[in-house]
Amino acid sequence: ATLYQITIRSIGAAGRSQASPPKQAKTVLAAPILEVRSPSPDSILVQWEAVYTAVGFSVSIMRANGLGRIWKENTTNTTLTFTSLDAGTLYTIKAYAWNANGTPGDDSTCNQRTSPRAPANIQVSFDSGALKASVSWAPTEGAFNYTVMASSDSSKLSCSTTFSSCTISSLQCGTEYLISVSASNDAGTSRSTPAVTLRTVACAPGRVIIQEDPPGHLSVSWSNVDLSDYYVAFVKSDDGLEVHCNTSLTQCNFFSECGFTYFISVFAYNKAGQSPLGNVFNYTTAPCCPSDINPVLVSSDRVEIVWSPVRGAELYETKAVDGVNMVECNDTAPACTLSALECDTTYNITVYSFSEVRGSNTSCTSQFITTAPCSPEIKNISKDAFSTINVHWRSSNDDATYTVTARGKTGLYQCSSTGESCTLGGLPCGSAFSITAVAETQAGQSLPSYSVPLETVPCCPGSLTVTQVTQSVVNVSWTVGTGAQTYMTALESRTGQSKCHTHQNHCLLGCITCGVNYTAVLKAISATGLTADCAYPSYFSSACCPLGVKLYRLGPNGIRIYWQATRGSANYSTDLYGSKGIFTCAPSAGFSFCDVTEIPCGDVYTVMVSPVAETGLKLTFCPKKIYSVTCSGSTLGMGKLFFSWIK
């Protein structure tokens, strides 16, 4: 749009020629400098700056691919908008200016694409486990790229793609998102699609509280979470059994058993699905209580108890309380020995199960066990007039029965009583015993008392025999008395006493008065000095030997023997011992002589007059007298008797 005057010269080595006659020429209008953009999917806005001396502009538009019609617009403005275009389509725009003469100037050409339309048919698929959403849509013409935006009150997430789907990750649980999709190309970005609401899964419930009250009832509670429709609480025991409950509230109750560990998880649910896994809580119930506690040994100071192992117990605590003192033992084994207990005492015994996680189960029931009675103490042992043994003891037991045992070589002898003494009868004489006492109650038997020795008196000899040795000496003999070490025997009468002390079973007693009734007494004495007084039938000493024995001739061949009767006997026997025979005569009752007829003469005779005992036994210890009997006349052996005593 500038007028130029043009001259031409020739230039050579010699110089320059003169200019040709001038000629004027004017350049056309400059091409407008276009600024093009697509403000909407169906329009293109063309802008340019004013062109010098231009009075108008002509702008045309057509698809870049040559298809379709051409739109042409004339305008005196420096801006022009083409509408009703196809979205996302590349258009070629040409523009030029003209002057007042209508001469067009240079043209300017450029390409511009319309912006894409918003994607349609939006589909949202939510993955509750991964907390991500897959968004898909129908492809939009002319879109180079797509952007998906997920907006919530607290955050914005997006993803971009050249495809018709996109996945938004890292969504937050319990959040409501508005999902929109926009398409873009080099012309710009489409409007966002109408937002699609996406409600993610609810967050895992928090502040989970687990309580067991009372035992056997497990209460699980939690805080309310946004966007939850209902909750499901799962409780799985360590044996694999699982239970659950559905609720729209924030608490569930379950039955629980002792000694189990429960794994507890709570999920919130809505239409989007299950909430993420929150914390898995474990709750261990108190270990079970032993229920079959059996005392296997109960003594005066010790109780042994056993029970079956129980679930969940790592240790057992056993406590025995008598109201004042406490004895306890801890062990991993299902058994306990409680020692150093008091005898005849009732203990409240409880076995508590213990686990490191839960501690002691304090709800275990107790049972009462009474220790065996205390050992009695024998105070003394006495004898009564009938030689029975009375045993006395001291004890502090309640409702006890006491048994006293005498143990010796001859066997066992017992007596029982609920008091503090009892009588032992029938103990054999001459025996040694060990006496012990034992107390017994329903709880058991005490230890025996300290033993006390007991020795019964020696046995009396079964028989005692008195044999007259001489007129004043007797031999006393007896059978052995069991338990006796020495004997003291005596013959007692009104005239006096004769006695001896010996360790043998016979004894000679002198100074015996003939013809006297004696009482035979014997004492059996043990090594410790115990004495048994033994009584036997009385003994009548032998009659006294007669005095004044004389012989008188009686006829031609006979003799009469006289004596003086003495105390103690009424019967006598007379014996004549000679070489030609033995001749005997017995007096008539009440007489003190007897006759011997037809006795041979010419011989020496020993004459003895002896008392006869009641048993018929002749005593042989009386004095003997010797007489010589001579013959008179001529006939040998038949002559007259002549006798004289020799001594």
Side-chain angles (χ1 to χ4, degrees):
T2 301
L3 179 64
Y4 288 92
Q5 181 173 292
I6 302 170
T7 60
I8 299 174
R9 297 171 188 265
S10 61
I11 300 173
R16 298 168 47 180
S17 69
Q18 290 183 343
S20 66
K23 184 76 174 180
Q24 289 186 344
K26 192 176 185 177
T27 56
V28 297
L29 296 177
I33 299 173
L34 300 178
E35 291 183 7
V36 184
R37 61 186 180 87
S38 174
S40 67
D42 61 350
S43 66
I44 292 178
L45 172 63
V46 184
Q47 291 178 312
W48 58 90
E49 292 184 2
V51 177
Y52 177 66
T53 70
V55 296
F57 301 91
S58 178
V59 182
S60 63
I61 187 171
M62 65 175 295
R63 283 178 179 268
N65 58 10
L67 299 178
R69 58 187 289 262
I70 298 175
W71 288 271
K72 185 175 182 180
E73 296 287 343
N74 292 326
T75 181
T76 59
N77 297 323
T78 58
T79 180
L80 180 66
T81 299
F82 292 95
T83 60
S84 300
L85 302 178
D86 294 329
T89 302
L90 182 62
Y91 286 87
T92 299
I93 298 98
K94 182 183 290 186
Y96 60 90
W98 71 83
N99 56 19
N101 298 323
T103 302
D106 286 341
D107 59 12
S108 176
T109 302
C110 67
N111 291 329
Q112 176 63 48
R113 193 182 304 274
T114 54
S115 62
R117 295 186 183 279
N121 195 22
I122 306 300
Q123 301 292 326
V124 179
S125 176
F126 180 67
D127 184 344
S128 60
L131 282 178
K132 62 183 180 180
S134 295
V135 185
S136 62
W137 54 88
T140 298
E141 180 70 29
F144 294 170
N145 194 48
Y146 300 94
T147 299
V148 179
M149 182 67 69
S151 301
S152 69
D153 293 339
S154 59
S155 65
K156 288 185 179 182
L157 300 174
S158 64
C159 67
S160 297
T161 181
T162 59
F163 301 102
S164 59
S165 65
C166 185
T167 298
I168 297 180
S169 302
S170 302
L171 297 175
Q172 299 296 316
C173 60
T175 304
E176 185 175 277
Y177 287 94
L178 296 178
I179 306 295
S180 61
V181 183
S182 61
S184 62
N185 55 20
D186 53 358
T189 301
S190 70
R191 293 189 305 272
S192 297
T193 60
V196 176
T197 300
L198 170 65
R199 299 177 68 190
T200 61
V201 294
C203 294
R207 297 199 298 275
V208 177
I209 300 174
I210 303 167
Q211 292 178 319
E212 187 183 16
D213 188 21
H217 295 80
L218 204 63
S219 172
V220 182
S221 60
W222 55 87
S223 60
N224 193 25
V225 294
D226 295 335
L227 303 184
S228 63
D229 294 334
Y230 63 95
Y231 303 92
V232 178
F234 293 89
V235 175
K236 185 175 184 178
S237 59
D238 52 13
D239 64 352
L241 181 65
E242 185 177 71
V243 294
H244 67 276
C245 83
N246 294 355
T247 180
S248 58
L249 305 176
T250 57
Q251 180 175 336
C252 273
N253 296 310
F254 300 89
F255 289 109
S256 60
E257 295 184 48
C258 57
F260 276 107
T261 296
Y262 292 93
F263 300 94
I264 300 165
S265 55
V266 182
F267 294 90
Y269 287 83
N270 58 19
K271 292 180 180 179
Q274 173 184 291
S275 68
L277 176 63
N279 292 328
V280 177
F281 299 89
N282 62 69
Y283 183 88
T284 301
T285 55
C288 298
C289 290
S291 59
D292 56 346
I293 300 173
N294 294 312
V296 295
L297 172 66
V298 177
S299 68
S300 299
D301 63 349
R302 189 161 49 97
V303 172
E304 294 182 18
I305 55 177
V306 297
W307 57 87
S308 299
V310 295
R311 187 173 56 243
E314 300 170 355
L315 183 73
Y316 300 96
E317 300 175 326
T318 304
K319 296 182 179 180
V321 180
D322 64 357
V324 178
N325 302 312
M326 182 178 71
V327 179
E328 63 179 321
C329 71
N330 299 333
D331 206 326
T332 57
C336 177
T337 298
L338 295 165
S339 56
L341 304 180
E342 297 294 332
C343 56
D344 195 44
T345 303
T346 298
Y347 285 88
N348 187 358
I349 296 180
T350 309
V351 179
Y352 300 96
S353 51
F354 176 87
S355 68
E356 187 175 355
V357 174
R358 190 55 54 195
S360 293
N361 187 343
T362 58
S363 64
C364 298
T365 58
S366 60
Q367 70 178 66
F368 292 94
I369 296 178
T370 302
T371 54
C374 304
S375 298
E377 177 188 357
I378 296 177
K379 294 191 295 184
N380 63 72
I381 299 175
S382 62
K383 301 178 184 177
D384 61 16
F386 301 98
S387 297
T388 55
I389 306 299
N390 295 313
V391 182
H392 302 266
W393 58 84
R394 180 188 297 111
S395 183
S396 60
N397 297 311
D398 295 329
D399 300 325
T401 299
Y402 299 89
T403 300
V404 175
T405 301
R407 181 176 283 101
K409 292 182 179 180
T410 58
L412 297 178
Y413 299 85
Q414 292 182 325
C415 65
S416 297
S417 171
T418 57
E420 292 188 337
S421 67
C422 72
T423 301
L424 284 170
L427 270 65
C429 57
S431 300
F433 295 93
S434 175
I435 307 296
T436 57
V438 173
E440 186 171 5
T441 62
Q442 290 183 347
Q445 193 177 75
S446 73
L447 294 173
S449 66
Y450 295 119
S451 64
V452 176
L454 172 68
E455 180 184 358
T456 56
V457 296
C459 296
C460 288
S463 63
L464 182 141
T465 303
V466 181
T467 303
Q468 198 84 29
V469 178
T470 68
Q471 184 170 286
S472 64
V473 177
V474 296
N475 181 46
V476 183
S477 62
W478 53 86
T479 57
V480 175
T482 304
Q485 189 179 57
T486 61
Y487 303 90
M488 182 177 289
T489 184
L491 292 178
E492 299 174 345
S493 72
R494 56 182 175 80
T495 61
Q497 182 190 61
S498 180
K499 65 179 180 179
C500 74
H501 191 183
T502 180
H503 65 277
Q504 297 176 329
N505 63 336
H506 59 86
C507 184
L508 287 175
L509 295 177
C511 301
I512 299 299
T513 302
C514 58
V516 175
N517 189 24
Y518 283 90
T519 299
V521 177
L522 184 141
K523 291 185 178 182
I525 305 171
S526 71
T528 60
L530 291 178
T531 301
D533 294 322
C534 308
Y536 298 95
S538 60
Y539 170 72
F540 202 90
S541 63
S542 65
C544 297
C545 291
L547 301 174
V549 177
K550 296 180 180 180
L551 276 68
Y552 296 94
R553 183 173 180 172
L554 186 66
N557 298 315
I559 62 173
R560 174 168 287 182
I561 305 164
Y562 283 94
W563 59 87
Q564 182 182 343
T566 57
R567 182 179 67 249
S569 179
N571 297 317
Y572 294 91
S573 174
T574 302
D575 296 302
L576 286 80
Y577 301 93
S579 62
K580 297 178 180 180
I582 298 174
F583 301 91
T584 301
C585 71
S588 299
F591 293 92
S592 58
F593 67 89
C594 69
D595 298 332
V596 178
T597 60
E598 303 298 331
I599 185 172
C601 62
D603 199 356
V604 177
Y605 290 93
T606 299
V607 180
M608 185 173 64
V609 180
S610 302
V612 179
E614 292 180 358
T615 61
L617 180 66
K618 288 189 295 184
L619 302 179
T620 61
F621 50 76
C622 287
K624 300 179 179 66
K625 290 193 175 183
I626 301 174
Y627 293 90
S628 176
V629 180
T630 59
C631 298
S632 64
S634 58
T635 306
L636 183 64
M638 294 300 292
K640 295 180 181 178
L641 289 172
F642 293 94
F643 55 88
S644 62
W645 58 86
I646 298 173
K647 65 175 180 177

Coordinates of all heavy atoms in Angstrom, one line a residue, residues 526-576:
S526 N 11.2 -109.6 136.0 CA 11.8 -109.4 134.7 C 13.1 -108.7 134.9 O 13.5 -108.3 136.0 CB 10.9 -108.5 133.9 OG 10.8 -107.2 134.4
A527 N 13.8 -108.5 133.8 CA 15.1 -107.8 133.8 C 15.0 -106.4 134.3 O 15.9 -105.8 134.8 CB 15.8 -107.9 132.4
T528 N 13.8 -105.8 134.0 CA 13.6 -104.4 134.4 C 13.0 -104.2 135.8 O 12.7 -103.1 136.3 CB 12.7 -103.7 133.4 OG1 11.5 -104.3 133.4 CG2 13.4 -103.7 132.0
G529 N 12.7 -105.4 136.5 CA 12.2 -105.3 137.8 C 10.7 -105.5 137.9 O 10.2 -105.4 139.0
L530 N 10.0 -105.7 136.8 CA 8.6 -106.0 136.9 C 8.4 -107.3 137.6 O 9.1 -108.3 137.3 CB 8.0 -106.0 135.5 CG 7.9 -104.6 134.8 CD1 7.3 -104.7 133.4 CD2 7.1 -103.6 135.7
T531 N 7.4 -107.4 138.5 CA 7.2 -108.6 139.3 C 5.8 -109.1 139.1 O 4.8 -108.3 139.1 CB 7.5 -108.3 140.7 OG1 8.8 -107.8 140.9 CG2 7.3 -109.5 141.6
A532 N 5.7 -110.4 138.9 CA 4.4 -111.1 138.9 C 4.3 -111.9 140.1 O 5.2 -112.8 140.4 CB 4.3 -111.9 137.6
D533 N 3.3 -111.7 140.9 CA 3.0 -112.5 142.1 C 2.2 -113.7 141.7 O 1.1 -113.6 141.3 CB 2.3 -111.6 143.2 CG 3.2 -110.5 143.7 OD1 4.4 -110.7 143.9 OD2 2.6 -109.4 143.9
C534 N 2.8 -114.8 141.9 CA 2.2 -116.1 141.5 C 1.8 -116.9 142.7 O 2.5 -117.0 143.7 CB 3.1 -116.9 140.6 SG 3.9 -116.0 139.3
A535 N 0.6 -117.4 142.7 CA 0.1 -118.2 143.8 C -0.2 -119.6 143.3 O -0.6 -119.9 142.2 CB -1.3 -117.6 144.3
Y536 N 0.1 -120.6 144.3 CA 0.0 -122.0 143.9 C -0.7 -122.7 145.1 O -0.8 -122.1 146.2 CB 1.4 -122.6 143.7 CG 2.1 -122.0 142.5 CD1 3.0 -121.0 142.7 CD2 1.8 -122.4 141.2 CE1 3.6 -120.4 141.6 CE2 2.4 -121.9 140.1 CZ 3.3 -120.8 140.3 OH 3.9 -120.2 139.2
P537 N -1.1 -123.9 144.9 CA -1.8 -124.7 146.0 C -0.8 -124.8 147.2 O 0.4 -124.9 147.0 CB -2.1 -126.0 145.4 CG -2.2 -125.8 143.9 CD -1.2 -124.7 143.7
S538 N -1.4 -124.8 148.4 CA -0.6 -124.9 149.6 C 0.1 -126.3 149.6 O -0.3 -127.2 149.0 CB -1.5 -124.7 150.8 OG -2.5 -125.8 150.9
Y539 N 1.2 -126.3 150.4 CA 2.0 -127.5 150.5 C 2.0 -127.9 151.9 O 2.4 -127.1 152.8 CB 3.4 -127.3 149.9 CG 4.4 -128.4 150.2 CD1 4.2 -129.6 149.5 CD2 5.4 -128.3 151.2 CE1 5.1 -130.6 149.8 CE2 6.2 -129.3 151.4 CZ 6.1 -130.5 150.7 OH 7.0 -131.5 151.0
F540 N 1.7 -129.2 152.1 CA 1.8 -129.7 153.5 C 3.1 -130.5 153.6 O 3.3 -131.4 152.9 CB 0.6 -130.7 153.8 CG 0.3 -130.9 155.2 CD1 -0.6 -130.1 155.9 CD2 0.9 -131.9 155.9 CE1 -0.9 -130.3 157.2 CE2 0.6 -132.1 157.3 CZ -0.2 -131.3 157.9
S541 N 3.9 -130.0 154.5 CA 5.3 -130.7 154.6 C 5.1 -132.1 155.1 O 4.1 -132.5 155.7 CB 6.2 -129.9 155.5 OG 5.6 -129.8 156.9
S542 N 6.1 -132.9 154.9 CA 6.0 -134.3 155.2 C 5.8 -134.5 156.8 O 6.3 -133.6 157.5 CB 7.2 -135.1 154.8 OG 8.4 -134.6 155.4
A543 N 5.2 -135.5 157.1 CA 5.1 -135.8 158.5 C 6.5 -136.0 159.1 O 7.4 -136.4 158.5 CB 4.2 -137.0 158.7
C544 N 6.5 -135.8 160.4 CA 7.8 -135.9 161.1 C 8.1 -137.4 161.2 O 7.2 -138.3 161.4 CB 7.7 -135.3 162.5 SG 7.4 -133.5 162.5
C545 N 9.4 -137.7 161.2 CA 9.8 -139.1 161.4 C 9.5 -139.6 162.8 O 9.7 -138.8 163.8 CB 11.3 -139.2 161.1 SG 11.8 -139.0 159.4
P546 N 9.1 -140.8 163.0 CA 8.7 -141.3 164.4 C 10.0 -141.4 165.3 O 11.1 -141.5 164.8 CB 8.1 -142.6 164.1 CG 8.6 -143.1 162.8 CD 8.9 -141.9 162.0
L547 N 9.8 -141.3 166.5 CA 10.8 -141.4 167.5 C 10.7 -142.7 168.3 O 9.6 -143.3 168.4 CB 10.8 -140.1 168.5 CG 10.9 -138.8 167.8 CD1 10.7 -137.7 168.8 CD2 12.2 -138.6 167.1
G548 N 11.8 -143.0 169.0 CA 11.7 -144.2 169.9 C 11.4 -145.5 169.2 O 10.6 -146.3 169.7
V549 N 12.0 -145.7 168.1 CA 11.7 -147.0 167.4 C 12.4 -148.1 168.2 O 13.6 -148.1 168.5 CB 12.3 -147.0 165.9 CG1 12.1 -148.3 165.3 CG2 11.6 -145.8 165.2
K550 N 11.6 -149.2 168.6 CA 12.1 -150.3 169.4 C 11.6 -151.6 168.8 O 10.5 -151.6 168.2 CB 11.7 -150.2 170.8 CG 12.4 -149.0 171.5 CD 11.9 -148.9 173.0 CE 12.6 -147.7 173.7 NZ 12.1 -147.6 175.1
L551 N 12.3 -152.7 169.0 CA 11.9 -154.0 168.5 C 11.7 -154.9 169.7 O 12.6 -154.9 170.6 CB 12.9 -154.6 167.5 CG 12.8 -154.2 166.0 CD1 13.2 -152.7 165.9 CD2 13.7 -155.1 165.2
Y552 N 10.7 -155.7 169.7 CA 10.4 -156.6 170.8 C 10.1 -158.0 170.1 O 9.5 -158.0 169.0 CB 9.1 -156.2 171.6 CG 9.4 -154.9 172.3 CD1 9.0 -153.7 171.8 CD2 10.0 -154.9 173.6 CE1 9.2 -152.5 172.5 CE2 10.2 -153.8 174.3 CZ 9.8 -152.5 173.7 OH 10.0 -151.4 174.4
R553 N 10.5 -159.0 170.9 CA 10.3 -160.4 170.4 C 8.8 -160.7 170.5 O 8.2 -160.4 171.5 CB 11.1 -161.4 171.2 CG 10.9 -162.8 170.7 CD 11.9 -163.7 171.4 NE 11.7 -165.1 171.0 CZ 12.5 -166.1 171.3 NH1 13.5 -165.9 172.1 NH2 12.2 -167.3 170.8
L554 N 8.3 -161.3 169.5 CA 6.9 -161.7 169.5 C 6.9 -163.2 169.1 O 7.0 -163.5 167.9 CB 6.2 -160.8 168.5 CG 4.7 -161.0 168.5 CD1 4.0 -160.6 169.8 CD2 4.0 -160.2 167.3
G555 N 6.8 -164.0 170.0 CA 6.7 -165.5 169.7 C 8.1 -166.0 169.3 O 9.1 -165.3 169.3
P556 N 8.1 -167.2 168.8 CA 9.4 -167.8 168.5 C 10.0 -167.1 167.3 O 11.2 -167.0 167.2 CB 9.1 -169.3 168.3 CG 7.6 -169.3 168.0 CD 7.0 -168.2 168.7
N557 N 9.2 -166.7 166.2 CA 9.8 -166.2 165.0 C 9.3 -164.8 164.6 O 9.3 -164.5 163.4 CB 9.5 -167.2 163.8 CG 10.1 -168.6 164.1 OD1 11.3 -168.7 164.5 ND2 9.3 -169.6 163.9
G558 N 8.7 -164.1 165.5 CA 8.2 -162.8 165.1 C 8.7 -161.7 166.0 O 9.2 -161.9 167.1
I559 N 8.6 -160.4 165.4 CA 9.0 -159.3 166.2 C 7.9 -158.2 166.1 O 7.1 -158.2 165.1 CB 10.3 -158.7 165.7 CG1 10.2 -158.2 164.2 CG2 11.4 -159.7 165.9 CD1 11.4 -157.5 163.7
R560 N 7.9 -157.3 167.1 CA 7.0 -156.2 167.1 C 7.8 -154.9 167.1 O 8.8 -154.8 167.9 CB 6.1 -156.3 168.3 CG 5.2 -155.0 168.4 CD 4.1 -155.3 169.4 NE 3.1 -156.2 168.9 CZ 2.0 -156.6 169.5 NH1 1.8 -156.1 170.8 NH2 1.1 -157.4 169.0
I561 N 7.4 -154.1 166.3 CA 8.2 -152.8 166.1 C 7.3 -151.7 166.7 O 6.2 -151.5 166.3 CB 8.5 -152.5 164.7 CG1 9.3 -153.7 164.0 CG2 9.3 -151.2 164.5 CD1 9.3 -153.7 162.5
Y562 N 7.9 -151.0 167.7 CA 7.2 -149.9 168.3 C 7.9 -148.6 167.9 O 9.1 -148.5 167.6 CB 7.3 -150.0 169.9 CG 6.3 -151.0 170.5 CD1 6.8 -152.3 170.7 CD2 5.0 -150.6 170.8 CE1 5.9 -153.3 171.2 CE2 4.2 -151.6 171.4 CZ 4.6 -152.9 171.6 OH 3.7 -153.8 172.1
W563 N 7.0 -147.5 167.9 CA 7.6 -146.2 167.7 C 6.7 -145.1 168.4 O 5.6 -145.5 168.7 CB 7.7 -145.8 166.2 CG 6.4 -145.9 165.5 CD1 5.5 -144.9 165.3 CD2 5.9 -147.0 164.8 NE1 4.4 -145.3 164.6 CE2 4.7 -146.6 164.2 CE3 6.4 -148.3 164.6 CZ2 3.9 -147.5 163.5 CZ3 5.6 -149.2 163.8 CH2 4.3 -148.7 163.3
Q564 N 7.2 -144.0 168.4 CA 6.4 -142.9 169.0 C 5.9 -142.0 167.9 O 6.7 -141.4 167.2 CB 7.3 -142.1 170.0 CG 6.5 -141.0 170.7 CD 7.4 -140.2 171.6 OE1 8.5 -140.6 172.0 NE2 7.0 -139.0 172.0
A565 N 4.6 -142.0 167.8 CA 4.0 -141.2 166.7 C 4.3 -139.7 166.8 O 4.3 -139.2 168.0 CB 2.5 -141.5 166.6
T566 N 4.5 -139.1 165.7 CA 4.8 -137.6 165.8 C 3.8 -136.8 165.0 O 2.9 -137.4 164.3 CB 6.2 -137.4 165.2 OG1 6.2 -137.9 163.8 CG2 7.2 -138.0 166.0
R567 N 3.9 -135.5 164.9 CA 3.0 -134.6 164.3 C 3.0 -134.7 162.8 O 4.0 -134.9 162.1 CB 3.4 -133.1 164.7 CG 2.5 -132.1 164.1 CD 2.9 -130.7 164.6 NE 4.2 -130.3 163.9 CZ 5.3 -130.2 164.6 NH1 5.3 -130.5 165.9 NH2 6.4 -129.9 164.0
G568 N 1.8 -134.7 162.3 CA 1.7 -134.6 160.8 C 1.4 -135.8 160.1 O 1.2 -135.8 158.9
S569 N 1.3 -137.0 160.7 CA 1.0 -138.2 159.9 C 0.3 -139.1 160.8 O 0.5 -139.3 162.0 CB 2.3 -138.8 159.4 OG 2.0 -139.9 158.7
A570 N -0.6 -139.8 160.1 CA -1.4 -140.9 160.8 C -1.0 -142.3 160.3 O -1.4 -143.3 160.8 CB -2.8 -140.6 160.7
N571 N -0.3 -142.3 159.2 CA 0.0 -143.5 158.5 C 1.5 -143.7 158.5 O 2.3 -142.8 158.2 CB -0.5 -143.6 157.1 CG -2.1 -143.5 157.1 OD1 -2.7 -144.1 157.9 ND2 -2.6 -142.7 156.1
Y572 N 1.9 -144.9 158.8 CA 3.3 -145.2 158.8 C 3.5 -146.5 158.1 O 2.6 -147.4 158.0 CB 3.9 -145.4 160.2 CG 3.9 -144.0 161.0 CD1 2.8 -143.7 161.8 CD2 5.0 -143.2 161.0 CE1 2.8 -142.5 162.5 CE2 5.0 -142.0 161.7 CZ 3.9 -141.6 162.4 OH 3.9 -140.5 163.1
S573 N 4.7 -146.7 157.7 CA 5.1 -148.0 157.0 C 6.5 -148.4 157.6 O 7.4 -147.5 157.8 CB 5.2 -147.8 155.5 OG 5.7 -149.0 154.9
T574 N 6.5 -149.7 157.9 CA 7.8 -150.2 158.5 C 8.4 -151.2 157.6 O 7.7 -152.1 157.0 CB 7.5 -150.9 159.9 OG1 6.8 -150.0 160.7 CG2 8.8 -151.4 160.5
D575 N 9.7 -151.0 157.3 CA 10.4 -151.9 156.4 C 11.7 -152.4 157.1 O 12.4 -151.6 157.8 CB 10.8 -151.1 155.1 CG 9.6 -150.6 154.3 OD1 8.8 -151.4 153.9 OD2 9.5 -149.3 154.1
L576 N 11.9 -153.7 156.9 CA 13.1 -154.4 157.4 C 13.8 -154.9 156.2 O 13.3 -155.7 155.4 CB 12.7 -155.5 158.4 CG 12.2 -155.1 159.8 CD1 10.8 -154.7 159.8 CD2 12.5 -156.3 160.8

